[in-house]
Amino acid sequence: MSDSMNEKSWRLLLADDNANDAELCVRALKQSGIPVQIEVVSAREDFARKLETQAVDIVISDYRMSGWTGMDALEIVKKTCPDVPLILVTGTLGDELAVECIKNGVTDYVLKHQLGRLPLALRRARLEAMLRKAEKRAVDALRESEEHYRILVESAPEAILVCDVDQHQFIDCNEKAVHLYGVHRENLLLHGPADFAPARQADGRLSSEVAHDAIEQALAGGTPSFEYTILRPDGREIPCEIHLVVLPSTGQRLVRASVIDITERKQAERALRESEARYRGLVNNATYGVYWEKPDGTLIYANPALVQMLGYETAEELISTRNTQALYCDPSKRAVLFEDYANRRSIDGFAEWKRRDGRVITVRIQGRRATASGENDEWIEVMVEDVTERIALETQLLQAQKFEAIGQLAGGIAHDFNNMIGAILGWADMGLEETEDGSKLRRYFEKVHHQGKRAASLTRQLLAFARRQILEPRDIAFNQSVTEGLSLLEKVIGGNIIIRTSLGAELPLVRADPTQLEQVLMNLCINARDAMPEGGSLIVETSSVHFDAEACKLQPLAHPGDYVMLSVTDSGTGMDSATLDRVFEPFFTTKELGKGTGLGLAMIYGIVRQHGGFVNVYSEVGTGSTFRVYIPASNAKAPSLEKRDDTLPVRGGTETLLLVEDHEGLRQLASETLSRLGYNVIAAADGEQALSEFGRHQDEIHLALLDLILPKLNGPEIYDRICSVRPDLPVVFATGYSADFGLLHKIQQQGLPFLQKPYTARDLARKVREALDNHSLANRKQLQSAGPNTTLQERTKKI
C-alpha cells in the first residue's frame, strides 16, 4: 500500500504558530520517507485562504494557537473541504477531550513528545480518506445506476412489471404498464396477473394455465415469449406479446414481464390475411392467366384461367411441365423477353404458345419482379392474355378498312371511266355501222371497240370490288346456279384437273344477282386452276351454315342468321401469310407480268360484300388453298322467274325524249343514237336545265331519260318534280355507279326501269323502246277497263 501511496507526493498543510514545533513536525515527516509537500501557516486567515485556493490532501494542526484552536481549524476544513482528514498535534490532551475531538471529526491526534507516531497517523488518515472516497463513489455509482435503471424502465416502449410469484402480485411497474392496464399505479400494485385476464385466451386455453406454464418456464431458467390477452377494467381486451425473465432476489421469487401491445400488429396481420385472401380470390377467379416463375423459368404457380387457357386438367399437371420455356413455340422468344426483363425488371410483349392439344395461340405477356421471402428469393409474377381472337379480329378490321378505302378510290375512278368508255364504245359502234366490211377504217373501229370492251370489263371489276355495281337480285337456288356455272367451266379448267362436287341437300334460297354469283364461282375456279399448273384436284362444296351471336364475334363482317356457304378447294401451290394479307387487294397478283390484272379475287370480295356476305380463305404453301364464300339465306320459298333477253330487232320511233346527262361525250352519243332512230331529242346537262327544258316542252315530251347522279339536282329529284305535273310520263334511269345506294334502292322498289352504264347503242335503243311500249300498253288496258260506252273525254280523265 505504501508503494502505491508513494507514487504521488502528498500535499500537506501544517497550522502551527510555534516555529520550533513546526520544524520538528517537518523533520519527523521527512525522516519517515513519505513524499510530502508541506506548507506551514500560523494565522487563521492564511489557513482558510490556502484551503480555498489550493488542493490539500491532509491537514495537521496544533491544538492551541494564538487567537484560534485546532477545533477552529476543523470547522474551516469541514466547511471548505470536508473530505480532507485533519490530525491534531498537541502537548497534552485528556482522554475526554480526545474523545470529543474524534466525535467532532478529527481523524487522529499525536502528542508533541511522540512525534515518531506522526508518519503512522498520517498514513492511517490518508488510508481512511481514500476508503471514504471509494465508499462515496460506490454509493454514488449505485445511486446513479439505480437512477439509470429507473429511467430505462420508465422510458421503455413496452410496459414493464415485476411480479412476486409466491404472492401472485405485482410489486413494481412503469408508467407504460399503468397506461396499458388502465388503472392507477397503486391499484395495479394491489393485484396480480390473474386479475387482468379473460377466462380463456384466443387459442381456447385457460388464462391461468397459460400464465402458470410461462412463469414455470422462466423460473426454470428459460426466457419464454408468448401471446396473451389482457382484460382491462373497462372491458377492453388487448392482445399482447409478453417476455418473462427471472430477477435475482434474496428471499423472493421475482419475475419481470415486458408486455407489448400488439393490437396494431394484429390488425395489420388481419388486414394482410384479408388482402392475401382477396388477392388469391382475384388471381384464382381472374379471366387472365397468372403464373409465377423463377428467373430460370421454373414454374411454381398457375391460376385456373391459365390452366384452362392451355388446355390442362389441373394446375399440378401444368406445373409438372416444370419450365415455362416448354410453352413457347419459339424458345428464343422467351430469351428475348427475359433479356428485356434483366434490364427493366419488367416484361411486356407478345409470343406464340403451344396448348396441350398442340394448338398454337398468341398471348400477351406482362410480368414484374417480386420477392417471396428472402431478399435473394426472387420470382416473377406474370399475367397472360390470350389475344389470338383479338389479333385475328383486328387484322380483319384493318383489312376491311383498307379495302373500304381502296374501294372508294376504285369506285370513283370507275364512275368517270364508265362515262368515257360508254362514249368510246358508242362512237365506235356508229363508226362500224357507217363503214364497209373489210375497209381499213372499219378495222380501226373494230380495234377501238375491242379495247373499249376490255376497258369496260376492267371498270366492271373495279366497281365489283368497290361494291358500286348495279345488282339485279332475285331469289335463286344456289346449287342450280353452281351446277350451271360448273358446266360452263369444265372446258376452261382443263383435263389435268379433276373436279369433284359435294352439294348440300335442301339449301335455302339466296337473294342475289345470278350473273354476279356466276362471276364469283368462275373467278374462284380459274384462280384455283392457275394455282395448279401441273394439274390436281378441285373440290366445290355447298352447305347451309348458321351463325349465332357468339360465332359472329370471331367474324366482324357477319351478322347472326342463316347463310349458304360455297367452298372451293384446290391442291395447288398455296400461299404464304404475306400473300394472304393482300390476296383481295385490286391489282395485286403473284402471276407473271401480263398474265393477270389482279382483279379476280378483288372482284369476288366486292361482289360477296355487296350481297351482305363475306369471304374466308385458308392456305399454306405447298398444301393448296380453300376459299369459303358465305351468302345470306333468303326467306323466300320459291325461286324468282328468270328474265329472258329480248332478241327482237331494235325499233325506233318519232316520240320526243328528254335526255339529261352531265357527261358531254356520252350526252352527244345518246342524242345522236336516238336521233338516228327517228326520235326528237331534247338534251340537258344538269338538273336545273332539265326542269327548264321540261317546262317549255312538257306537253310534247313522251319519255325522260335521266342519269341517276347529276349536278344541282339528281335524277330522282328531277323525276319527282316532273311527276307533280306529268304523273304518267315514263322514265328510264341510267347509272353505272352510285355512292348513294338509297337512290337506287328507291328506284328498284318502285319498279322503274334503269339502264346500266356503259351501255351500247343497241341497249339504249331497246330500253327506251321498251319503256315507251310498256307505257302505251298500260294506257290501252286502262281505256279498255273504262268500258265501251265511256266517252273519249271521260277515258282521258281516267288515264
Side-chain angles (χ1 to χ4, degrees), residues 381-442:
E381 182 181 62
V382 184
M383 293 183 63
V384 183
E385 179 185 5
D386 185 352
V387 295
T388 307
E389 295 178 1
R390 190 182 77 189
I391 289 179
L393 292 175
E394 288 175 353
T395 302
Q396 292 178 16
L397 180 59
L398 290 174
Q399 194 83 337
Q401 291 174 340
K402 178 176 68 175
F403 287 164
E404 183 67 26
I406 297 174
Q408 290 180 359
L409 175 63
I413 294 173
H415 172 251
D416 293 335
F417 277 6
N418 252 343
N419 289 331
M420 291 184 285
I421 293 169
I424 291 170
L425 287 174
W427 292 117
D429 286 341
M430 285 189 179
L432 287 172
E433 291 179 4
E434 295 185 1
T435 53
E436 297 178 359
D437 293 341
S439 66
K440 183 181 291 186
L441 186 59
R442 185 176 181 84

Side-chain angles (χ1 to χ4, degrees), residues 543-552 559-565 630:
S543 64
S544 177
V545 179
H546 178 77
F547 281 92
D548 56 18
E550 190 66 25
C552 290
H559 299 284
D562 294 322
Y563 289 79
V564 173
M565 187 270 293
Y630 297 88

Side-chain angles (χ1 to χ4, degrees), residues 45 55 60 90 96 117 120 162 185 200-201 249 255-256 290 295 326 375 424 453 497 567 580 603 662-663 687 738:
E45 294 78 9
I60 299 176
T90 180
E96 292 181 4
R117 286 188 62 252
L120 179 62
V162 178
R185 176 184 177 86
R200 293 183 180 275
Q201 291 295 306
S249 176
V255 174
R256 188 198 70 183
V290 179
E375 184 177 347
I424 291 170
K453 295 288 285 184
I497 295 177
S567 172
L580 283 173
M603 184 174 68
D662 62 326
H663 190 273
S738 175

Side-chain angles (χ1 to χ4, degrees), residues 568-582:
V568 176
T569 303
D570 65 68
S571 60
T573 55
M575 294 175 282
D576 57 22
S577 58
T579 303
L580 283 173
D581 288 340
R582 304 185 59 192

Side-chain angles (χ1 to χ4, degrees), residues 244-456:
L244 298 183
V245 63
V246 172
L247 293 180
S249 176
T250 57
Q252 288 180 298
R253 293 194 302 170
L254 304 180
V255 174
R256 188 198 70 183
S258 296
V259 185
I260 302 173
D261 183 352
I262 59 173
T263 302
E264 292 185 1
R265 190 175 80 188
K266 286 292 186 180
Q267 291 173 346
E269 290 175 352
R270 183 165 56 251
L272 179 61
R273 288 193 299 271
E274 293 173 355
S275 176
E276 290 177 345
R278 287 194 299 270
Y279 175 76
R280 284 194 299 271
L282 287 173
V283 170
N284 290 332
N285 298 317
T287 56
Y288 293 109
V290 179
Y291 70 90
W292 301 335
E293 65 173 324
K294 294 183 179 179
D296 63 359
T298 302
L299 187 60
I300 55 179
Y301 169 78
N303 76 334
L306 184 69
V307 174
Q308 183 180 8
M309 182 188 302
L310 294 175
Y312 287 86
E313 295 294 333
T314 62
E316 290 74 17
E317 184 182 9
L318 174 57
I319 294 173
S320 67
T321 59
R322 301 193 63 80
N323 199 293
T324 57
Q325 187 168 341
L327 302 175
Y328 288 79
C329 295
D330 181 4
S332 64
K333 181 62 178 177
R334 184 187 184 276
V336 172
L337 290 174
F338 280 81
E339 183 177 349
D340 293 341
Y341 171 78
N343 298 327
R344 300 196 303 266
R345 283 295 183 264
S346 64
I347 304 171
D348 192 348
F350 295 85
E352 289 187 338
W353 277 10
K354 294 176 293 187
R355 284 170 47 91
R356 182 189 181 194
D357 57 11
R359 185 164 63 89
V360 175
I361 60 174
T362 302
V363 294
R364 182 180 182 184
I365 303 172
Q366 293 177 294
R368 65 179 183 87
R369 179 180 180 272
T371 52
S373 55
E375 184 177 347
N376 296 324
D377 191 8
E378 179 181 347
W379 49 279
I380 306 165
E381 182 181 62
V382 184
M383 293 183 63
V384 183
E385 179 185 5
D386 185 352
V387 295
T388 307
E389 295 178 1
R390 190 182 77 189
I391 289 179
L393 292 175
E394 288 175 353
T395 302
Q396 292 178 16
L397 180 59
L398 290 174
Q399 194 83 337
Q401 291 174 340
K402 178 176 68 175
F403 287 164
E404 183 67 26
I406 297 174
Q408 290 180 359
L409 175 63
I413 294 173
H415 172 251
D416 293 335
F417 277 6
N418 252 343
N419 289 331
M420 291 184 285
I421 293 169
I424 291 170
L425 287 174
W427 292 117
D429 286 341
M430 285 189 179
L432 287 172
E433 291 179 4
E434 295 185 1
T435 53
E436 297 178 359
D437 293 341
S439 66
K440 183 181 291 186
L441 186 59
R442 185 176 181 84
R443 289 200 302 274
Y444 292 160
F445 279 121
E446 287 175 347
K447 290 184 180 295
V448 172
H449 187 273
H450 176 69
Q451 294 301 323
K453 295 288 285 184
R454 291 188 63 185

Side-chain angles (χ1 to χ4, degrees), residues 189-246:
L189 298 183
L190 293 175
H191 296 83
D195 299 320
F196 295 94
R200 293 183 180 275
Q201 291 295 306
D203 59 1
R205 295 176 63 194
L206 292 172
S207 296
S208 57
E209 180 184 342
V210 174
H212 176 268
D213 291 348
I215 291 173
E216 290 298 322
Q217 185 179 349
L219 292 174
T223 55
S225 176
F226 58 98
E227 290 188 5
Y228 191 82
T229 300
I230 67 172
L231 177 63
R232 288 162 49 110
D234 59 8
R236 178 183 168 194
E237 292 188 357
I238 302 177
C240 297
E241 182 177 278
I242 299 180
H243 303 266
L244 298 183
V245 63
V246 172

